[in-house]
Amino acid sequence: MKQPKQSNQSVSEGKDGRRLQQFIPPEGVPITLAIASLGSRLGAQILDIIFTSLFILVCAFAIVFTGGLPENAATILIILLGFLLRTPYYVLSELIWNGRTLGKRITGIRVINVDGRRLTPHQVTARNLMKEVEIFVPMGLLFTIGAQSALEAWLTVLWLLAVVIVPLANRRRQRIGDVIAGTLVVDNPRSVLLSDLALSSPAKASSQPAFEFLPEHLDIYGKYELQTLEDVLRDTTKKPNTEEIIKIVRTITRRIRFEDAVKPGQEMLFLNDFYRAQREHLESLKLFGKARENKYHEHTKTEAKKLV
Amino acid sequence: MTDLRIDPRMDSGTTPYAGGVPNDLLRSARFRLEREAHWRQLDQLVTRAEAGGAAALSYDEVRNLAAGYRQAMNSLSVARDISLDRALVAYLESLCARAYLVAYAPQESLGGLMSRLLLRGIPQAVRRSGLPLFIGFLALVLGAFAGYRLCSSDPSWFYTFVPPGMADLRTPDASADYLRSTIYGDERHEGDGLAAFSAFLFSHNTGIAVLIFALGVFMSVPSFILTFYNGLMLGAFFAMFRQKGMGYDVFAWLSIHGVTELAAISIACAGGAGLGLAVLLPGARTRKDALRHQAHDAVKLAILAALMLVVAAFIEGFLRQLVQDPTWRLVIGWGMGVFWVGWLMLGGREGRASREPVR
């Protein structure tokens, strides 16, 4: 079956509103990763700033209180330390932990290469050098905004706006440094393997399912409805026999014109059986190259015929 | 249709359902039962590698990781074709993404990276960026010249160029004795004031250098202006001391760290100018591509500038207070200059063939 042709850098909207970046590693199988939200990136940045400033503070205290150095040498040393803990900290930690700083590790995000290849040292350096202009200098200017003249204050505000707007206006949430380096910040993927509903259904206990579905029953729905049903069945907060479940069962039986009445108490059994039968049916259709997206598949077919 | 054959290497392991997969199951459920054990095995390896890096794994485990990664990728593409179980596809997606991130982690050591950068990357980048370097040094020299001429003709220009915070008390109104004492730190000025001032100067210049570099993206102009302005201040300072008859002394005072520090600022400007030139004159490439290409060299220039600034800070903080003789100041300052030029011109020349940018 042919995969639809995808560019290496397509962005789509996920089901839960997250943006998904699809990219193709050298193996040729497209992988999707969720683009990190600006909130978690901001959180990671704030954490990193806290960590580095704490470290500098501790070192400064240690240098001053041990008092082994002449005063001007101590000052130079502390300032050098401050210099080393800015851009070099981000570059080195992202190199060592493959795209993660301490803050990023905590908030569960990481930097990846847009090209689908490994992150290069050049990219890490480039994106973090730009961080100076995009984050540290505007931050410093913001602290002195009281002492600035009107023109300077306006320039600071303009600068801040430009820096904030770029990742907001950008589909992939890249800041200027990311664009230049060709990198992307994504959520760390987490994987949980849920049980297979087709196996765990109660019908498995008895060899014969309680409900029989005819092909015309199964010809109504498509992939979208099946996976919506999957969500309902997997949702552990929904208890059987609630109003909602009964309503879902009623809707399905009416829509597929299922004649047998579903007895009270058998709703979950019905849904599980229907899920299994529908999935089997759709998967075999898929096998023959007749994949169906949703319940409108028949309409689209007739409309397509009309157009021809 | 897609081949469901299992990789024989992977199938040799023990599967809980090996040989006993019920035939009445859905095709996609069978597919999952047959391979689930491998996925879980890969999952465990990836989890360990994520926590401790690839070094935490033994040789066999790394081999299993690589084989498992390829097998999981295969499973993912098959599952996308045959399975409508969204939970399964989502699991495989995330497992493959995690395994991918582990498999394609940077493989070189930090030490190797540094030595390659110092021995080849930076010198080669410098030799490739003739035009940006010319622009960077031109900005500084023009600024210094203009500042010198203006302040020589009318000392009041000094107050326009040099912000009061930087000048401290060193203004054209100060006495020659005071100015001399700032150059040759005697007991009264050796204390907090001067050290704090040179530390301030360092962090100021570092900030300037970073700004000069990064602002270059906006078509080089801000880089040029900032460097030019730095040159103006330099020229103004020099003109002021010159008028009090201390031209030689201040030249030595500036040389000991200034050769390194001012060169660093010019190099930062060159990096910025390179980025700006890529935007202005992208040539056959698109602007974005040109920028990305030029960034390889520009970033190395920025690293070089940072290195030189750190060295300059040490000279400024320690050597300049210790070495009071102007001749020695000149020798150390310009000796450093010769060292930089020698390294940048001679480093990494072994192969004519390898003119490709080192990443």
Side-chain angles (χ1 to χ4, degrees):
Chain A
M1 220 170 286
K2 256 186 269 169
Q3 279 278 336
K5 198 168 163 58
Q6 278 135 351
S7 86
N8 204 1
Q9 306 181 349
S10 57
V11 188
S12 59
E13 198 82 21
K15 218 175 81 82
D16 43 357
R18 293 195 304 178
R19 281 161 191 247
L20 301 173
Q21 160 82 24
Q22 187 160 60
F23 74 110
I24 304 178
E27 282 74 21
V29 182
I31 300 182
T32 40
L33 286 168
I35 289 170
S37 69
L38 289 179
S40 51
R41 293 179 68 175
L42 190 67
Q45 182 61 65
I46 290 172
L47 282 176
D48 279 329
I49 289 177
I50 290 174
F51 291 146
T52 46
S53 338
L54 271 183
F55 187 79
I56 293 175
L57 217 64
V58 169
C59 285
F61 269 116
I63 291 171
V64 169
F65 277 107
T66 49
L69 287 167
E71 201 163 330
N72 63 338
T75 320
I76 293 268
L77 214 59
I78 291 169
I79 285 179
L80 271 181
L81 202 66
F83 174 72
L84 286 177
L85 273 176
R86 265 161 80 165
T87 305
Y89 158 75
Y90 293 94
V91 172
L92 287 181
S93 61
E94 281 181 12
L95 272 180
I96 292 169
W97 287 320
N98 189 16
R100 290 175 296 175
T101 59
L102 269 182
K104 287 197 181 72
R105 279 181 89 111
I106 291 173
T107 53
I109 57 177
R110 72 191 307 152
V111 183
I112 61 162
N113 186 343
V114 171
D115 288 346
R117 304 190 177 266
R118 68 187 177 81
L119 205 57
T120 62
H122 162 75
Q123 289 180 309
V124 170
T125 319
R127 74 184 296 281
N128 285 311
L129 269 178
M130 286 306 289
K131 186 169 263 182
E132 196 80 26
V133 186
E134 287 184 80
I135 293 167
F136 295 127
V137 174
M139 229 170 57
L141 285 178
L142 205 60
F143 282 127
T144 60
I145 205 161
Q148 288 170 357
S149 68
L151 178 71
E152 284 170 334
W154 272 111
L155 281 177
T156 305
V157 170
L158 211 67
W159 189 336
L160 275 173
L161 274 181
V163 164
V164 172
I165 283 174
V166 169
L168 278 177
N170 191 301
R171 280 174 66 76
R172 281 184 267 168
R173 300 271 180 257
Q174 288 173 301
R175 54 180 181 80
I176 302 172
D178 283 320
V179 175
I180 289 179
T183 55
L184 193 65
V185 183
V186 296
D187 283 337
N188 252 339
R190 250 163 305 199
S191 41
V192 185
L193 183 52
L194 300 168
S195 59
D196 195 335
L197 283 176
L199 290 178
S200 62
S201 71
K204 210 188 88 181
S206 58
S207 58
Q208 202 65 20
F211 296 92
E212 287 282 354
F213 296 96
L214 302 172
E216 58 259 37
H217 292 147
L218 302 174
D219 271 340
I220 307 294
Y221 288 135
K223 178 183 166 193
Y224 174 79
E225 288 77 20
L226 180 77
Q227 293 185 338
T228 311
L229 180 59
E230 182 184 339
D231 286 345
V232 172
L233 290 175
R234 284 194 196 284
D235 193 345
T236 47
T237 59
K238 287 201 180 82
K239 292 191 184 66
N241 307 328
T242 52
E243 195 66 28
E244 198 182 355
I245 295 287
I246 293 169
K247 202 176 149 202
I248 292 170
V249 170
R250 211 177 294 142
T251 313
I252 291 176
T253 49
R254 195 184 64 232
R255 188 76 173 76
I256 68 173
R257 300 198 190 84
F258 190 70
E259 276 89 16
D260 304 352
V262 179
K263 292 188 205 94
Q266 283 203 311
E267 282 91 357
M268 286 312 270
L269 193 63
F270 170 81
L271 288 183
N272 271 315
D273 273 359
F274 178 67
Y275 172 78
R276 191 184 188 284
Q278 180 76 60
R279 192 170 124 193
E280 185 164 23
H281 184 70
L282 287 178
E283 279 177 3
S284 68
L285 278 180
K286 213 170 167 201
L287 205 59
F288 293 113
K290 292 185 225 159
R292 283 176 188 168
E293 271 317 302
N294 51 35
K295 61 187 174 187
Y296 302 114
H297 59 95
E298 284 177 328
H299 299 285
T300 51
K301 211 183 287 171
T302 49
E303 272 158 26
K305 265 181 199 159
K306 256 185 238 161
L307 283 173
V308 173
Chain B
M1 196 37 229
T2 322
D3 190 358
L4 268 183
R5 188 177 56 89
I6 302 173
D7 189 333
R9 268 173 313 153
M10 298 307 299
D11 204 34
S12 59
T14 51
T15 332
Y17 300 95
V21 177
N23 267 330
D24 61 328
L25 283 175
L26 291 187
R27 192 180 165 82
S28 58
R30 258 187 358 246
F31 165 80
R32 172 173 166 167
L33 279 183
E34 278 162 358
R35 295 169 190 225
E36 200 177 319
H38 297 307
W39 299 337
R40 292 197 185 276
Q41 195 189 356
L42 176 65
D43 201 336
Q44 276 174 2
L45 285 179
V46 169
T47 309
R48 278 177 52 203
E50 277 173 344
L57 305 179
S58 70
Y59 174 73
D60 278 344
E61 285 171 328
V62 172
R63 209 181 46 188
N64 283 346
L65 179 74
Y69 167 58
R70 250 169 266 128
Q71 205 250 1
M73 280 299 217
N74 180 34
S75 295
L76 173 62
S77 68
V78 174
R80 278 191 182 135
D81 264 0
I82 69 159
S83 180
L84 288 174
D85 185 354
R86 184 157 57 197
L88 172 69
V89 177
Y91 171 75
L92 279 176
E93 288 248 7
S94 59
L95 179 65
C96 286
R98 285 169 61 207
Y100 157 78
L101 289 169
V102 170
Y104 285 88
Q107 279 134 10
E108 53 236 298
S109 68
L110 269 186
L113 213 63
M114 290 296 165
S115 61
R116 202 177 53 160
L117 190 67
L118 291 182
L119 293 180
R120 288 191 286 138
I122 290 179
Q124 286 173 358
V126 166
R127 290 200 295 273
R128 272 194 300 266
S129 349
L131 179 62
L133 280 170
F134 175 72
I135 295 177
F137 280 95
L138 185 73
L140 191 76
V141 169
L142 278 183
F145 186 68
Y148 177 74
R149 285 303 298 273
L150 285 171
C151 285
S152 299
S153 57
D154 178 5
S156 67
W157 277 107
F158 183 88
Y159 299 100
T160 320
F161 296 149
V162 185
M166 261 199 76
D168 218 4
L169 291 171
R170 292 175 288 181
T171 60
D173 296 332
S175 70
D177 281 344
Y178 176 79
L179 288 178
R180 185 173 296 280
S181 74
T182 61
I183 294 181
Y184 300 103
D186 61 3
E187 290 311 310
R188 280 174 300 140
H189 297 280
E190 181 72 57
D192 316 337
L194 201 62
F197 174 70
S198 49
F200 164 77
L201 209 64
F202 166 70
S203 59
H204 170 82
N205 284 344
T206 319
I208 290 280
V210 168
L211 264 188
I212 285 173
F213 168 73
L215 289 178
V217 187
F218 307 112
M219 302 187 215
S220 332
V221 178
S223 292
F224 193 88
I225 291 177
L226 269 177
T227 314
F228 185 81
Y229 177 64
N230 242 30
L232 271 183
M233 288 200 288
L234 182 74
F237 252 105
F238 188 71
M240 176 186 76
F241 279 95
R242 178 90 196 274
Q243 280 174 342
K244 312 269 178 183
M246 281 181 282
Y248 176 67
D249 301 290
V250 79
F251 183 67
W253 184 80
L254 281 171
S255 287
I256 186 168
H257 76 291
V259 170
T260 302
E261 187 163 5
L262 295 171
I265 288 179
S266 295
I267 285 171
C269 177
L275 290 180
L277 283 179
V279 175
L280 270 180
L281 311 166
R285 297 187 170 90
T286 65
R287 289 212 152 70
K288 212 172 169 181
D289 277 351
L291 193 60
R292 211 164 274 166
H293 178 81
Q294 187 57 43
H296 284 285
D297 284 350
V299 161
K300 288 191 192 97
L301 291 185
I303 295 173
L304 172 64
L307 266 179
M308 291 173 76
L309 281 173
V310 170
V311 172
F314 272 108
I315 297 177
E316 191 171 353
F318 300 105
L319 274 184
R320 195 170 67 182
Q321 324 293 336
L322 295 175
V323 181
Q324 296 286 336
D325 179 39
T327 321
W328 274 109
R329 283 180 169 176
L330 281 175
V331 168
I332 293 175
W334 291 99
M336 283 308 292
V338 170
F339 164 75
W340 294 121
V341 170
W343 169 43
L344 296 173
M345 287 301 114
L346 302 176
R349 274 211 189 263
E350 67 264 318
R352 283 273 125 198
S354 60
R355 296 285 285 182
E356 281 294 293
V358 180
R359 294 185 178 200

PDB file of all heavy atoms in Angstrom, chain B residues 6-7 18 55 79 81 123 140 165 182 190 201 208 216 225 238 241 259 268 286 298 300 319 332 335 345 347 357:
ATOM      1  N   ILE B   6       8.712 -12.426   9.477  1.00  0.00           N
ATOM      2  CA  ILE B   6       9.488 -11.908  10.604  1.00  0.00           C
ATOM      3  C   ILE B   6      10.963 -12.106  10.314  1.00  0.00           C
ATOM      4  O   ILE B   6      11.362 -13.128   9.760  1.00  0.00           O
ATOM      5  CB  ILE B   6       9.102 -12.637  11.898  1.00  0.00           C
ATOM      6  CG1 ILE B   6       7.610 -12.463  12.138  1.00  0.00           C
ATOM      7  CG2 ILE B   6       9.901 -12.126  13.069  1.00  0.00           C
ATOM      8  CD1 ILE B   6       7.108 -13.277  13.279  1.00  0.00           C
ATOM      9  N   ASP B   7      11.723 -11.109  10.684  1.00  0.00           N
ATOM     10  CA  ASP B   7      13.166 -11.202  10.551  1.00  0.00           C
ATOM     11  C   ASP B   7      13.672 -12.443  11.285  1.00  0.00           C
ATOM     12  O   ASP B   7      13.459 -12.587  12.483  1.00  0.00           O
ATOM     13  CB  ASP B   7      13.766  -9.930  11.177  1.00  0.00           C
ATOM     14  CG  ASP B   7      15.247  -9.826  10.887  1.00  0.00           C
ATOM     15  OD1 ASP B   7      15.853 -10.888  10.691  1.00  0.00           O
ATOM     16  OD2 ASP B   7      15.751  -8.704  10.843  1.00  0.00           O
ATOM     17  N   ALA B  18       5.328 -18.072  20.857  1.00  0.00           N
ATOM     18  CA  ALA B  18       5.972 -18.666  19.693  1.00  0.00           C
ATOM     19  C   ALA B  18       5.340 -20.010  19.355  1.00  0.00           C
ATOM     20  O   ALA B  18       5.214 -20.887  20.202  1.00  0.00           O
ATOM     21  CB  ALA B  18       7.458 -18.851  19.959  1.00  0.00           C
ATOM     22  N   ALA B  55      27.020   4.152  26.571  1.00  0.00           N
ATOM     23  CA  ALA B  55      28.128   3.524  27.287  1.00  0.00           C
ATOM     24  C   ALA B  55      27.619   2.553  28.350  1.00  0.00           C
ATOM     25  O   ALA B  55      28.355   1.676  28.798  1.00  0.00           O
ATOM     26  CB  ALA B  55      28.994   4.604  27.934  1.00  0.00           C
ATOM     27  N   ALA B  79       2.587  -1.934  10.625  1.00  0.00           N
ATOM     28  CA  ALA B  79       1.422  -1.649  11.460  1.00  0.00           C
ATOM     29  C   ALA B  79       0.599  -0.510  10.884  1.00  0.00           C
ATOM     30  O   ALA B  79      -0.626  -0.532  10.908  1.00  0.00           O
ATOM     31  CB  ALA B  79       1.876  -1.306  12.877  1.00  0.00           C
ATOM     32  N   ASP B  81       0.168   0.037   7.884  1.00  0.00           N
ATOM     33  CA  ASP B  81      -0.581  -0.478   6.751  1.00  0.00           C
ATOM     34  C   ASP B  81      -1.729  -1.373   7.164  1.00  0.00           C
ATOM     35  O   ASP B  81      -2.818  -1.294   6.600  1.00  0.00           O
ATOM     36  CB  ASP B  81       0.363  -1.270   5.836  1.00  0.00           C
ATOM     37  CG  ASP B  81       0.873  -0.399   4.712  1.00  0.00           C
ATOM     38  OD1 ASP B  81       0.470   0.780   4.687  1.00  0.00           O
ATOM     39  OD2 ASP B  81       1.650  -0.886   3.891  1.00  0.00           O
ATOM     40  N   PRO B 123      41.024  27.469  12.234  1.00  0.00           N
ATOM     41  CA  PRO B 123      41.938  28.091  11.254  1.00  0.00           C
ATOM     42  C   PRO B 123      41.399  28.040   9.825  1.00  0.00           C
ATOM     43  O   PRO B 123      41.499  29.016   9.085  1.00  0.00           O
ATOM     44  CB  PRO B 123      43.215  27.248  11.387  1.00  0.00           C
ATOM     45  CG  PRO B 123      43.151  26.653  12.728  1.00  0.00           C
ATOM     46  CD  PRO B 123      41.716  26.443  13.028  1.00  0.00           C
ATOM     47  N   LEU B 140      36.767  48.642  12.590  1.00  0.00           N
ATOM     48  CA  LEU B 140      37.490  49.062  13.787  1.00  0.00           C
ATOM     49  C   LEU B 140      38.508  50.151  13.451  1.00  0.00           C
ATOM     50  O   LEU B 140      38.594  51.181  14.134  1.00  0.00           O
ATOM     51  CB  LEU B 140      38.187  47.858  14.416  1.00  0.00           C
ATOM     52  CG  LEU B 140      38.740  48.116  15.803  1.00  0.00           C
ATOM     53  CD1 LEU B 140      37.625  48.120  16.809  1.00  0.00           C
ATOM     54  CD2 LEU B 140      39.761  47.053  16.164  1.00  0.00           C
ATOM     55  N   GLY B 165      30.275  56.275  32.225  1.00  0.00           N
ATOM     56  CA  GLY B 165      30.545  55.096  33.047  1.00  0.00           C
ATOM     57  C   GLY B 165      31.865  54.435  32.666  1.00  0.00           C
ATOM     58  O   GLY B 165      32.583  53.918  33.500  1.00  0.00           O
ATOM     59  N   THR B 182      46.721  55.937  35.945  1.00  0.00           N
ATOM     60  CA  THR B 182      45.818  54.869  35.528  1.00  0.00           C
ATOM     61  C   THR B 182      46.530  53.885  34.608  1.00  0.00           C
ATOM     62  O   THR B 182      46.153  52.724  34.520  1.00  0.00           O
ATOM     63  CB  THR B 182      44.586  55.418  34.785  1.00  0.00           C
ATOM     64  OG1 THR B 182      45.028  56.100  33.621  1.00  0.00           O
ATOM     65  CG2 THR B 182      43.793  56.346  35.676  1.00  0.00           C
ATOM     66  N   GLU B 190      45.752  50.758  42.443  1.00  0.00           N
ATOM     67  CA  GLU B 190      45.850  49.303  42.247  1.00  0.00           C
ATOM     68  C   GLU B 190      44.615  48.583  42.788  1.00  0.00           C
ATOM     69  O   GLU B 190      44.254  47.516  42.333  1.00  0.00           O
ATOM     70  CB  GLU B 190      47.108  48.783  42.959  1.00  0.00           C
ATOM     71  CG  GLU B 190      47.354  47.291  42.820  1.00  0.00           C
ATOM     72  CD  GLU B 190      47.799  46.936  41.414  1.00  0.00           C
ATOM     73  OE1 GLU B 190      48.797  47.481  40.941  1.00  0.00           O
ATOM     74  OE2 GLU B 190      47.100  46.130  40.788  1.00  0.00           O
ATOM     75  N   LEU B 201      35.242  46.195  31.923  1.00  0.00           N
ATOM     76  CA  LEU B 201      35.607  46.343  30.522  1.00  0.00           C
ATOM     77  C   LEU B 201      35.493  44.999  29.807  1.00  0.00           C
ATOM     78  O   LEU B 201      35.002  44.910  28.696  1.00  0.00           O
ATOM     79  CB  LEU B 201      37.042  46.863  30.432  1.00  0.00           C
ATOM     80  CG  LEU B 201      37.368  47.690  29.201  1.00  0.00           C
ATOM     81  CD1 LEU B 201      36.550  48.958  29.204  1.00  0.00           C
ATOM     82  CD2 LEU B 201      38.852  48.015  29.192  1.00  0.00           C
ATOM     83  N   ILE B 208      29.512  43.171  23.974  1.00  0.00           N
ATOM     84  CA  ILE B 208      29.582  43.858  22.680  1.00  0.00           C
ATOM     85  C   ILE B 208      29.896  42.852  21.575  1.00  0.00           C
ATOM     86  O   ILE B 208      29.265  42.839  20.521  1.00  0.00           O
ATOM     87  CB  ILE B 208      30.678  44.941  22.723  1.00  0.00           C
ATOM     88  CG1 ILE B 208      30.240  46.092  23.622  1.00  0.00           C
ATOM     89  CG2 ILE B 208      31.002  45.434  21.339  1.00  0.00           C
ATOM     90  CD1 ILE B 208      29.309  47.060  22.980  1.00  0.00           C
ATOM     91  N   GLY B 216      24.644  40.667  13.200  1.00  0.00           N
ATOM     92  CA  GLY B 216      25.057  40.639  11.803  1.00  0.00           C
ATOM     93  C   GLY B 216      23.998  40.084  10.880  1.00  0.00           C
ATOM     94  O   GLY B 216      23.937  40.416   9.713  1.00  0.00           O
ATOM     95  N   ILE B 225      28.345  49.054  12.549  1.00  0.00           N
ATOM     96  CA  ILE B 225      28.184  50.280  13.333  1.00  0.00           C
ATOM     97  C   ILE B 225      28.762  50.099  14.734  1.00  0.00           C
ATOM     98  O   ILE B 225      29.489  50.956  15.235  1.00  0.00           O
ATOM     99  CB  ILE B 225      26.695  50.668  13.409  1.00  0.00           C
ATOM    100  CG1 ILE B 225      26.229  51.116  12.020  1.00  0.00           C
ATOM    101  CG2 ILE B 225      26.479  51.779  14.413  1.00  0.00           C
ATOM    102  CD1 ILE B 225      24.767  51.440  11.964  1.00  0.00           C
ATOM    103  N   PHE B 238      42.819  57.330  22.758  1.00  0.00           N
ATOM    104  CA  PHE B 238      44.212  57.463  22.353  1.00  0.00           C
ATOM    105  C   PHE B 238      44.559  58.936  22.134  1.00  0.00           C
ATOM    106  O   PHE B 238      45.597  59.414  22.595  1.00  0.00           O
ATOM    107  CB  PHE B 238      44.450  56.645  21.086  1.00  0.00           C
ATOM    108  CG  PHE B 238      45.880  56.572  20.710  1.00  0.00           C
ATOM    109  CD1 PHE B 238      46.765  55.810  21.473  1.00  0.00           C
ATOM    110  CD2 PHE B 238      46.366  57.257  19.620  1.00  0.00           C
ATOM    111  CE1 PHE B 238      48.095  55.748  21.139  1.00  0.00           C
ATOM    112  CE2 PHE B 238      47.702  57.203  19.276  1.00  0.00           C
ATOM    113  CZ  PHE B 238      48.566  56.438  20.037  1.00  0.00           C
ATOM    114  N   PHE B 241      45.072  60.782  25.512  1.00  0.00           N
ATOM    115  CA  PHE B 241      46.360  60.524  26.148  1.00  0.00           C
ATOM    116  C   PHE B 241      47.490  61.151  25.346  1.00  0.00           C
ATOM    117  O   PHE B 241      48.466  61.662  25.889  1.00  0.00           O
ATOM    118  CB  PHE B 241      46.594  59.016  26.304  1.00  0.00           C
ATOM    119  CG  PHE B 241      45.899  58.432  27.499  1.00  0.00           C
ATOM    120  CD1 PHE B 241      44.654  57.851  27.394  1.00  0.00           C
ATOM    121  CD2 PHE B 241      46.498  58.479  28.752  1.00  0.00           C
ATOM    122  CE1 PHE B 241      44.027  57.317  28.492  1.00  0.00           C
ATOM    123  CE2 PHE B 241      45.873  57.949  29.857  1.00  0.00           C
ATOM    124  CZ  PHE B 241      44.631  57.361  29.730  1.00  0.00           C
ATOM    125  N   VAL B 259      45.631  44.036  21.674  1.00  0.00           N
ATOM    126  CA  VAL B 259      45.869  43.337  20.411  1.00  0.00           C
ATOM    127  C   VAL B 259      44.936  42.134  20.331  1.00  0.00           C
ATOM    128  O   VAL B 259      44.276  41.901  19.315  1.00  0.00           O
ATOM    129  CB  VAL B 259      47.342  42.897  20.312  1.00  0.00           C
ATOM    130  CG1 VAL B 259      47.541  41.976  19.132  1.00  0.00           C
ATOM    131  CG2 VAL B 259      48.232  44.110  20.191  1.00  0.00           C
ATOM    132  N   ALA B 268      34.607  38.935  15.785  1.00  0.00           N
ATOM    133  CA  ALA B 268      33.173  38.785  16.026  1.00  0.00           C
ATOM    134  C   ALA B 268      32.386  39.553  14.979  1.00  0.00           C
ATOM    135  O   ALA B 268      31.384  39.078  14.448  1.00  0.00           O
ATOM    136  CB  ALA B 268      32.813  39.276  17.422  1.00  0.00           C
ATOM    137  N   THR B 286      19.270  30.049  -2.074  1.00  0.00           N
ATOM    138  CA  THR B 286      18.233  30.873  -1.466  1.00  0.00           C
ATOM    139  C   THR B 286      18.851  31.546  -0.244  1.00  0.00           C
ATOM    140  O   THR B 286      19.878  31.117   0.265  1.00  0.00           O
ATOM    141  CB  THR B 286      17.037  30.030  -1.001  1.00  0.00           C
ATOM    142  OG1 THR B 286      17.503  29.165   0.042  1.00  0.00           O
ATOM    143  CG2 THR B 286      16.462  29.188  -2.105  1.00  0.00           C
ATOM    144  N   ALA B 298      30.744  31.278  10.452  1.00  0.00           N
ATOM    145  CA  ALA B 298      30.495  32.388  11.372  1.00  0.00           C
ATOM    146  C   ALA B 298      30.531  31.912  12.815  1.00  0.00           C
ATOM    147  O   ALA B 298      31.081  32.582  13.693  1.00  0.00           O
ATOM    148  CB  ALA B 298      29.148  33.022  11.054  1.00  0.00           C
ATOM    149  N   LYS B 300      32.225  29.443  13.972  1.00  0.00           N
ATOM    150  CA  LYS B 300      33.620  29.191  14.372  1.00  0.00           C
ATOM    151  C   LYS B 300      34.336  30.498  14.661  1.00  0.00           C
ATOM    152  O   LYS B 300      35.154  30.576  15.591  1.00  0.00           O
ATOM    153  CB  LYS B 300      34.340  28.406  13.279  1.00  0.00           C
ATOM    154  CG  LYS B 300      33.840  26.988  13.241  1.00  0.00           C
ATOM    155  CD  LYS B 300      34.671  26.090  12.384  1.00  0.00           C
ATOM    156  CE  LYS B 300      33.936  24.791  12.185  1.00  0.00           C
ATOM    157  NZ  LYS B 300      33.186  24.750  10.921  1.00  0.00           N
ATOM    158  N   LEU B 319      48.370  39.945  33.979  1.00  0.00           N
ATOM    159  CA  LEU B 319      49.645  40.378  33.421  1.00  0.00           C
ATOM    160  C   LEU B 319      49.791  41.890  33.408  1.00  0.00           C
ATOM    161  O   LEU B 319      50.849  42.426  33.709  1.00  0.00           O
ATOM    162  CB  LEU B 319      49.806  39.831  31.999  1.00  0.00           C
ATOM    163  CG  LEU B 319      50.384  38.423  31.894  1.00  0.00           C
ATOM    164  CD1 LEU B 319      50.577  38.069  30.434  1.00  0.00           C
ATOM    165  CD2 LEU B 319      51.710  38.344  32.630  1.00  0.00           C
ATOM    166  N   ILE B 332      54.736  41.551  24.886  1.00  0.00           N
ATOM    167  CA  ILE B 332      53.715  40.534  25.200  1.00  0.00           C
ATOM    168  C   ILE B 332      52.503  40.697  24.286  1.00  0.00           C
ATOM    169  O   ILE B 332      52.009  39.746  23.674  1.00  0.00           O
ATOM    170  CB  ILE B 332      53.297  40.646  26.682  1.00  0.00           C
ATOM    171  CG1 ILE B 332      54.462  40.255  27.577  1.00  0.00           C
ATOM    172  CG2 ILE B 332      52.092  39.745  26.957  1.00  0.00           C
ATOM    173  CD1 ILE B 332      54.181  40.450  29.044  1.00  0.00           C
ATOM    174  N   GLY B 335      53.412  39.938  20.727  1.00  0.00           N
ATOM    175  CA  GLY B 335      53.775  38.519  20.685  1.00  0.00           C
ATOM    176  C   GLY B 335      52.516  37.659  20.606  1.00  0.00           C
ATOM    177  O   GLY B 335      52.441  36.712  19.812  1.00  0.00           O
ATOM    178  N   MET B 345      46.921  31.075  10.451  1.00  0.00           N
ATOM    179  CA  MET B 345      47.370  30.943   9.065  1.00  0.00           C
ATOM    180  C   MET B 345      47.960  29.563   8.782  1.00  0.00           C
ATOM    181  O   MET B 345      47.909  29.080   7.664  1.00  0.00           O
ATOM    182  CB  MET B 345      48.416  32.022   8.749  1.00  0.00           C
ATOM    183  CG  MET B 345      47.827  33.416   8.619  1.00  0.00           C
ATOM    184  SD  MET B 345      46.575  33.496   7.324  1.00  0.00           S
ATOM    185  CE  MET B 345      45.108  33.831   8.280  1.00  0.00           C
ATOM    186  N   GLY B 347      47.532  26.611  10.885  1.00  0.00           N
ATOM    187  CA  GLY B 347      46.826  25.446  11.439  1.00  0.00           C
ATOM    188  C   GLY B 347      45.979  24.728  10.402  1.00  0.00           C
ATOM    189  O   GLY B 347      45.395  25.356   9.514  1.00  0.00           O
ATOM    190  N   PRO B 357      33.918  22.324   4.624  1.00  0.00           N
ATOM    191  CA  PRO B 357      33.821  22.828   5.996  1.00  0.00           C
ATOM    192  C   PRO B 357      33.699  21.674   6.987  1.00  0.00           C
ATOM    193  O   PRO B 357      32.960  20.726   6.760  1.00  0.00           O
ATOM    194  CB  PRO B 357      32.560  23.677   5.993  1.00  0.00           C
ATOM    195  CG  PRO B 357      31.857  23.349   4.732  1.00  0.00           C
ATOM    196  CD  PRO B 357      32.859  22.829   3.778  1.00  0.00           C
TER     197      PRO B 357
END
